[in-house]
Amino acid sequence: EGIEGTLVSHGSSTVPQYIVSEINGLGGDIHDAYGIKKEQLKEVSKLGIRKINVDTDIRLAVTRNLRELFRDSSALRDSASIGPIYKLLVDNPSAFDPRVFLPPIMDTVMYGNEDVARVVDCIERGVKEVVGTLIVEFDSLGKAPLIESVSLDEMAERYRTKGI
């Protein structure tokens, strides 16, 4: 069960329908968005899959959080720093990839103001909701200490020498 034996399931988002519904209730226009059933993912995890990629779920949660932010704090729609995010949300109702909405703050995300911090909070909460839910669902709570910690330099060396 070393690094050589790790299998990854790509494109394995569950696409929580409650989040899709919430986005649509907040002005989004997402249709025919479906994912993998959690039961199926649990089954393949028993067959050697050790990493399940759920990026779409995270994107959906972050997009929903951004829409809620602007609904609940309408004054932010006119914010010089994050108001352009609101415009992109309105102009792109079927988009759910935050990379569509976040370019207006990309240069300021590391040292932004209070408004930018609220957007970063939307991102953080979205990641925690999706990943935290799946950690519990897959009975992985408290198992992080079992994961081998590897430095970036060591991982680069593994890629160089082992082709992984």
Side-chain angles (χ1 to χ4, degrees):
E1 255 204 48
I3 191 83
E4 295 83 12
T6 301
L7 296 175
V8 178
S9 179
H10 294 273
S12 296
S13 287
T14 62
V15 186
Q17 292 303 296
Y18 78 94
I19 297 178
V20 173
S21 294
E22 290 170 347
I23 289 171
N24 289 339
L26 292 161
D29 188 27
I30 300 172
H31 301 283
D32 300 321
Y34 303 98
I36 305 295
K37 293 180 180 171
K38 288 180 190 174
E39 295 75 25
Q40 291 175 312
L41 293 174
K42 287 179 184 179
E43 284 301 312
V44 299
S45 72
K46 296 173 189 173
L47 301 172
I49 300 293
R50 296 291 176 254
K51 181 176 184 274
I52 297 172
N53 290 350
V54 293
D55 186 52
T56 298
D57 293 354
I58 293 169
R59 292 175 189 201
L60 287 164
V62 170
T63 297
R64 188 248 352 252
N65 292 350
L66 290 171
R67 288 183 173 279
E68 286 177 341
L69 175 67
F70 289 107
R71 177 202 62 201
D72 297 344
S73 302
S74 58
L76 293 175
R77 297 173 186 178
D78 297 321
S79 164
S81 57
I82 68 170
I85 293 173
Y86 174 72
K87 181 171 178 5
L88 290 169
L89 283 164
V90 170
D91 291 347
N92 298 282
S94 63
F96 59 88
D97 185 341
R99 292 176 295 187
V100 171
F101 314 121
L102 297 180
I105 65 163
M106 292 311 291
D107 291 340
T108 63
V109 78
M110 294 302 291
Y111 53 90
N113 58 31
E114 185 177 317
D115 291 349
V116 171
R118 293 180 75 178
V119 170
V120 171
D121 178 65
C122 288
I123 297 166
E124 183 177 315
R125 287 185 297 107
V127 171
K128 287 180 178 178
E129 175 183 354
V130 169
V131 175
T133 298
L134 292 173
I135 285 172
V136 171
E137 188 82 30
F138 280 78
D139 195 31
S140 294
L141 190 63
K143 295 183 180 175
L146 302 175
I147 304 299
E148 177 188 13
S149 180
V150 179
S151 73
L152 185 58
D153 289 337
E154 186 177 348
M155 187 55 73
E157 181 61 24
R158 287 182 183 183
Y159 274 96
R160 271 193 299 278
T161 61
K162 297 180 182 179
I164 57 171

